[in-house]
């Protein structure tokens, strides 16, 4: 198994988890600082977001750029996600708070979510094609990638920065963390809290 890392040195590095050895590195001197990195579901592509070119998909063996997902960006908050089947890519940090959905193969934009009023700054994507996103104002937003007009707001206005941690494969349940406040287990389908742990602020989780 491999993991990918990157940062301000503009270099993507692939590591073997078992041996903890660096296997390959892909310098990108023409790019900006890399703010997010990950793999496509089949492991053949490395997805990265940098502050100049936006989202890119690179060959995991050679480092060659295969596709670019070019959009207006906000350098303060950027991320890149992929659907479970690898068919869609989601880039975060778009102009006016949008999260943009792309066809992974063609590089063409397929949809968008969010707005200046409710921008999406952080998000997680479930296997079932449902995305939950959040912003610094405390709003938690849920969307379906399979039906672009299927979207709703989870009533979690806390006035504190909210971070989505994970979402179940069927898109029914999700977990979020409200900064220095609580961690919440959500029934997204019915927009209600199942359980909340006050004064517990988590950084990672699984569902």
């Amino acid at each position: 198994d491999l993991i990918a890392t990157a940062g301000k040195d503009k270099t993507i590095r692939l590591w073997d988890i078992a041996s903890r050895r660096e296997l390959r590195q892909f310098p990108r001197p023409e790019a900006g600082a890399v703010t997010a990195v990950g793999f496509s579901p089949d492991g053949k592509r490395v997805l990265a977001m940098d502050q100049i070119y936006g989202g890119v998909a690179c060959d995991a063996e050679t480092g060659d750029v295969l596709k670019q997902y070019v959009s207006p960006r906000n350098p303060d908050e950027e991320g890149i996600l992929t659907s479970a089947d690898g068919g869609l890519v989601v880039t975060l940090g778009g102009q006016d708070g949008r999260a943009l959905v792309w066809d992974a193969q063609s590089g063409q934009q397929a949809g968008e979510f969010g707005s200046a009023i409710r921008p999406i700054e952080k998000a997680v994507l479930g296997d079932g094609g449902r995305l939950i996103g959040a912003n610094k104002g405390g709003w938690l937003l849920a969307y379906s990638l399979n039906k672009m007009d299927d979207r709703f707001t989870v009533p979690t206005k806390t006035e504190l920065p909210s971070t989505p941690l994970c979402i179940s494969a069927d898109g029914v349940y999700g977990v979020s963390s409200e900064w220095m406040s609580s961690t919440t287990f959500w029934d997204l389908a019915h927009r209600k809290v199942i359980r909340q742990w006050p004064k517990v602020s988590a950084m990672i989780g699984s569902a």
Side-chain angles (χ1 to χ4, degrees):
D1 292 339
L2 303 180
I3 61 171
T5 62
K8 293 182 179 180
D9 65 356
K10 307 177 184 179
T11 298
I12 299 171
R13 291 179 169 84
L14 304 188
W15 304 78
D16 178 78
I17 296 177
S19 66
R20 304 181 185 179
R21 292 176 52 248
E22 181 181 319
L23 301 180
R24 295 183 287 279
Q25 60 176 255
F26 310 133
R28 300 192 66 229
E30 76 286 355
V34 179
T35 57
V37 67
F39 287 98
S40 62
D42 61 9
K44 295 181 179 180
R45 296 185 176 194
V46 178
L47 303 175
M49 175 71 81
D50 75 70
Q51 293 181 337
I52 292 180
Y53 287 95
V56 296
C58 301
D59 187 288
E61 292 293 331
T62 65
D64 294 339
V65 175
L66 303 175
K67 290 294 177 183
Q68 285 187 264
Y69 310 106
V70 181
S71 65
R73 301 175 301 283
N74 171 9
D76 293 331
E77 292 285 353
E78 295 180 337
I80 189 164
L81 309 169
T82 182
S83 59
D85 61 4
L88 296 176
V89 169
V90 179
T91 56
L92 307 175
Q95 191 177 44
D96 296 329
R98 297 174 299 160
L100 305 182
V101 183
W102 306 85
D103 182 282
Q105 297 302 318
S106 69
Q108 299 298 308
Q109 186 177 333
E112 64 181 60
F113 301 118
S115 66
I117 298 176
R118 294 179 182 174
I120 298 176
E121 296 168 339
K122 299 176 182 177
V124 292
L125 183 61
D127 293 347
R130 187 174 291 280
L131 175 147
I132 54 174
N135 61 28
K136 294 175 182 177
W139 290 105
L140 192 67
L141 312 171
Y143 300 90
S144 171
L145 300 186
N146 301 321
K147 186 179 179 183
M148 294 300 178
D149 60 351
D150 178 14
R151 64 192 72 187
F152 60 86
T153 302
V154 180
T156 177
K157 192 69 170 64
T158 65
E159 302 295 343
L160 294 171
S162 183
T163 300
L165 298 178
C166 55
I167 187 170
S168 61
D170 56 12
V172 175
Y173 303 105
V175 179
S176 67
S177 177
E178 288 67 51
W179 184 72
M180 299 296 290
S181 173
S182 62
T183 295
T184 306
F185 181 34
W186 295 93
D187 179 339
L188 296 174
H190 298 92
R191 312 182 198 185
K192 66 180 183 180
V193 174
I194 297 177
R195 187 173 179 182
Q196 192 168 54
W197 294 270
K199 299 182 180 180
V200 175
S201 183
M203 294 303 295
I204 58 173
S206 61

